[in-house]
Amino acid sequence: SVVEELPNCEPERLAGLIAALAQVARFAPAAFEHKSDVITTFLLKKVLMVPVPLDPDEMDVDEEWISDEDMSFTLRAKILALKVFRYRSLAHAGDEQAVEISTPVFKMFTTLLEYGGSFTGEAGEE
């Protein structure tokens, strides 16, 4: 299954699998919930919380945005992981467990906004 492939994927394939999971979370939330604990733990610990080393040669400080084709597979996987959490929250907006599912997601997005895209205030302070 897709969930079993996640831990051993190359970054190129990982982004694709996470994109598929985002669509499952969005359009088949009941199916997603069968493995949601495993998926969300993986996405948090192995995708979102893993720092991406920046290559100073590839950094363009004058550009605020990069095009999709210039985005690394690792960064693409991180963005898609955020979409998984967003779609899961939206899919359960009318459910009894909406607050339980969405509260950690809102806290995560608030932290990312507060720290400029990082989970800690220490990122980028070198």
Side-chain angles (χ1 to χ4, degrees):
S1 76
V2 171
V3 176
E4 294 166 352
E5 286 186 54
L6 289 173
N8 303 315
C9 278
E10 294 297 320
E12 301 86 15
R13 179 135 170 85
L14 182 61
L17 291 177
I18 296 173
L21 289 172
Q23 296 305 306
V24 173
R26 183 177 187 185
F27 296 112
F32 184 87
E33 290 307 311
H34 288 290
K35 295 285 187 170
S36 65
D37 290 344
V38 174
I39 296 167
T40 56
T41 299
F42 176 83
L43 293 177
L44 280 170
K45 292 183 177 180
K46 301 296 184 181
V47 177
L48 293 172
M49 299 298 288
V50 176
V52 177
L54 298 176
D55 183 354
D57 296 332
E58 292 183 10
M59 289 181 53
D60 186 354
V61 293
D62 294 331
E63 294 289 325
E64 289 187 28
W65 299 98
I66 61 171
S67 62
D68 288 347
E69 58 269 1
D70 292 334
M71 190 182 308
S72 71
F73 289 110
T74 304
L75 180 56
R76 192 170 303 176
K78 287 179 180 282
I79 292 170
L80 289 165
L82 294 173
K83 287 183 178 186
V84 169
F85 288 103
R86 182 184 79 186
Y87 287 144
R88 181 176 182 229
S89 294
L90 290 172
H92 291 285
D95 296 354
E96 291 178 12
Q97 71 264 32
V99 172
E100 179 184 331
I101 289 172
S102 297
T103 298
V105 175
F106 286 129
K107 287 180 180 180
M108 176 179 63
F109 282 124
T110 300
T111 300
L112 288 171
L113 289 171
E114 183 177 337
Y115 294 124
S118 174
F119 284 104
T120 67
E122 300 168 5
E125 291 183 3
E126 298 173 358

